Structure formats: C-alpha cells, structure tokens
Amino acid sequence: MGMKTRSRIEVSLIYLVIAIMTVVIIYPLLWTVGLSLNPGTSLYSATLIPENWSFVHYKWLFTSPDSDYLLWYKNSLIVAFVNSVCSVFLTSLIAFAFSRYQFIGRKYGLYSFLLLQMFPSLMSMVAIYILLNTLGLLDTLAGLMLVYIGGQIPFNAWLVKGYFDTIPRELDEAARIDGAGHFGVFFRIILPLAKPILAVVALFNFMAPFTDFLLPNIVIRSPEKYTLALGLFNFINNQFANNFTRFAAGSILVAVPIALVFLFLQRYLISGLTTGGTKG
C-alpha cells in the first residue's frame, strides 16, 4: 500500500469519526429543539420536524402564572455570577501563593488538592448537608454558593497554579525593582497575563449552577429557591409525561447565558497572552 493511499484512508477514517460524533451530538439537540416547537405536550406524539411548529411553550414559560421559570432563571444567574467571580478571585490568590512562594506545608497542600480530586463529590454530600444545617444555611442560595465556591477550589487552584508557573519569574523581579509589592505583582503582572486560564475557570464555574442537579437537590427545598436544573426536573417529575415539550423549551433557554459568556470570553480562551508578555 502506497503512502498516498494510506494517507487517504487515514483522512477518510478521521472524517468518518468526526461525522459519527457530529451525529451523536447534533441529533439529541435537534430533537430537543423540535420537541420544544411541537404544539402538544406529549413526548410520544412529538416529531423531529414539527408540522405545525409554535412558540407557545416558550410563551408559557414566561407569561403563565403557573410557571416559576423566570424565578428559577434569576436564581441560577445569581448563583452562577457569584460562583464565577468568587471562584476566579479566590483561586487566583491561592494559585499565586503556591506558585510564587515557598512556605511550610506547600508541597503537602498541593498533594492534598490532587488527592481531593480523586474522590467523587457524592461522597461529601452527607457532610455538606450536616454542615449547612449546623450553620443555618440549608435551603438558602448563600449555602449553595458557598459549597460551589469551596468545592471547586482544589481543581481550579491546581489548574491555575500550573499556568502561573509558565509565567517567567523575571517579570516579577522586574516589577519589584520598579517598586511593586506583592499585590502589585499579582494585579499588574500575573492577572493580565493569566487571562486565558482565568477565563476558563470563570466559564466552567458559571456553567456549573445551570447544569448541576445533585447538589441543589440536596441543599434547596423551597420551590422559590430552585435553580433551573432542579426546577425543570421537578417540573416534569410532578407531572410526568405531560410537560416534556415545555421542559424541552426551558432546556433550550438554559444555553443562552452560557453561550453569551462563552462568546464574551472566547478571545481570552484562544489567545496566548503569556507568550506575548514574555516577548515584550
């Protein structure tokens, strides 16, 4: 078999895999969009391409007095925004300390972060429930945000610390010669050069409250404090097989804020600011 023929076979196999993955990803999404546009409420009578498509379910989510969708959306946005901002700030401070300073327990602290990532979050749910109940934060958005922010620190700190290590220490030393202190180096040198990894952390932590069901289901009890994932699940669970089209419409709208944040941060996600800072 010649090199040219082998190359064509390899390229064909690559395109075949891409095509299969595209179908696996796109097909459920098309079904969800089609389901949300079907005028009925039944799952079994819905079609992929509705004959008489309608936005009645989207209208129902926002205008019906029986729908708490806007309230769930507001709760999710509040939790997502606070979680994203606080996680980026705390994670960057922790990663900066581990990356730039030598102190007692530094190595074991890093090992602890790595070790904590090996255990599934499900193992800590009982402890989280008892802790929040003791602090009086059970069934509150503040308690939910506290768990999100604290729970993401080990993974995010390890990730950001690795990126900070790639930023040359000569930049720190040059800033200190010019009179910058610890926070001056952190805010003026490290953070501007670390925008790509901080954008990744911000995006992941913003997405979590919209897609997570398990943690809100344990922490939140009052319907008026539901996040979208919890609210939509209970919405179809309470009226099984009656509101799947409305559930599909609500699920489609969940992607809107995530897509907007991704579009806002994409220039940081794909840019190599560290290389540019080193050359400068």
Side-chain angles (χ1 to χ4, degrees):
M1 184 183 297
M3 291 294 296
K4 190 173 183 180
T5 304
R6 183 182 301 175
S7 177
R8 288 179 178 177
I9 294 176
E10 291 176 353
V11 171
S12 300
L13 290 175
I14 292 173
Y15 278 113
L16 178 62
V17 172
I18 293 175
I20 293 174
M21 294 305 300
T22 302
V23 172
V24 170
I25 295 172
I26 298 298
Y27 184 72
L29 179 60
L30 292 178
W31 254 112
T32 305
V33 174
L35 191 63
S36 70
L37 297 177
N38 275 271
T41 58
S42 175
L43 174 65
Y44 300 103
S45 63
T47 57
L48 179 61
I49 303 178
E51 296 181 0
N52 301 311
W53 59 273
S54 171
F55 290 101
V56 63
H57 302 306
Y58 293 93
K59 182 179 179 181
W60 184 91
L61 290 173
F62 291 101
T63 60
S64 174
D66 298 327
S67 172
D68 292 325
Y69 188 76
L70 281 177
L71 182 60
W72 302 339
Y73 220 111
K74 183 189 73 172
N75 293 339
S76 297
L77 285 173
I78 292 174
V79 175
F81 179 78
V82 173
N83 181 39
S84 181
V85 173
C86 292
S87 293
V88 168
F89 181 70
L90 291 177
T91 298
S92 57
L93 284 174
I94 295 172
F96 178 69
F98 277 102
S99 175
R100 288 302 195 260
Y101 300 108
Q102 299 292 331
F103 51 88
I104 298 176
R106 175 180 177 274
K107 182 174 69 173
Y108 295 107
L110 290 174
Y111 287 157
S112 299
F113 286 163
L114 186 61
L115 185 64
L116 288 172
Q117 299 175 45
M118 299 171 59
F119 298 96
S121 58
L122 185 63
M123 295 179 59
S124 62
M125 291 303 172
V126 175
I128 289 174
Y129 184 90
I130 296 175
L131 178 62
L132 292 180
N133 188 42
T134 303
L135 296 176
L137 295 176
L138 199 63
D139 195 25
T140 63
L141 293 180
L144 182 62
M145 288 184 286
L146 183 64
V147 176
Y148 273 132
I149 295 170
Q152 293 295 326
I153 285 179
F155 173 77
N156 291 335
W158 185 272
L159 185 68
V160 177
K161 185 262 181 188
Y163 193 93
F164 283 179
D165 288 343
T166 66
I167 300 177
R169 295 178 180 269
E170 289 79 6
L171 298 177
D172 302 20
E173 297 171 0
R176 295 184 191 281
I177 292 175
D178 291 337
H182 299 289
F183 284 102
V185 172
F186 176 70
F187 286 107
R188 297 180 184 179
I189 304 299
I190 301 298
L191 289 189
L193 293 176
K195 285 181 180 177
I197 194 63
L198 296 181
V200 172
V201 172
L203 179 62
F204 286 170
N205 285 273
F206 186 85
M207 291 171 54
F210 286 98
T211 58
D212 183 31
F213 165 76
L214 182 60
L215 183 59
N217 189 42
I218 293 175
V219 176
I220 303 299
R221 289 290 178 267
S222 303
E224 66 273 9
K225 298 176 184 177
Y226 282 170
T227 59
L228 278 172
L230 182 58
L232 288 174
F233 172 80
N234 284 278
F235 178 64
I236 63 169
N237 190 47
N238 294 336
Q239 303 180 35
F240 186 76
N242 290 328
N243 286 319
F244 276 99
T245 49
R246 293 170 181 172
F247 173 81
S251 301
I252 292 296
L253 294 176
V254 170
V256 174
I258 298 175
L260 292 176
V261 171
F262 177 80
L263 291 175
F264 176 75
L265 297 176
Q266 67 172 341
R267 65 192 182 102
Y268 299 115
L269 296 172
I270 63 177
S271 61
L273 293 184
T274 303
T275 303
T278 305
K279 291 182 179 179

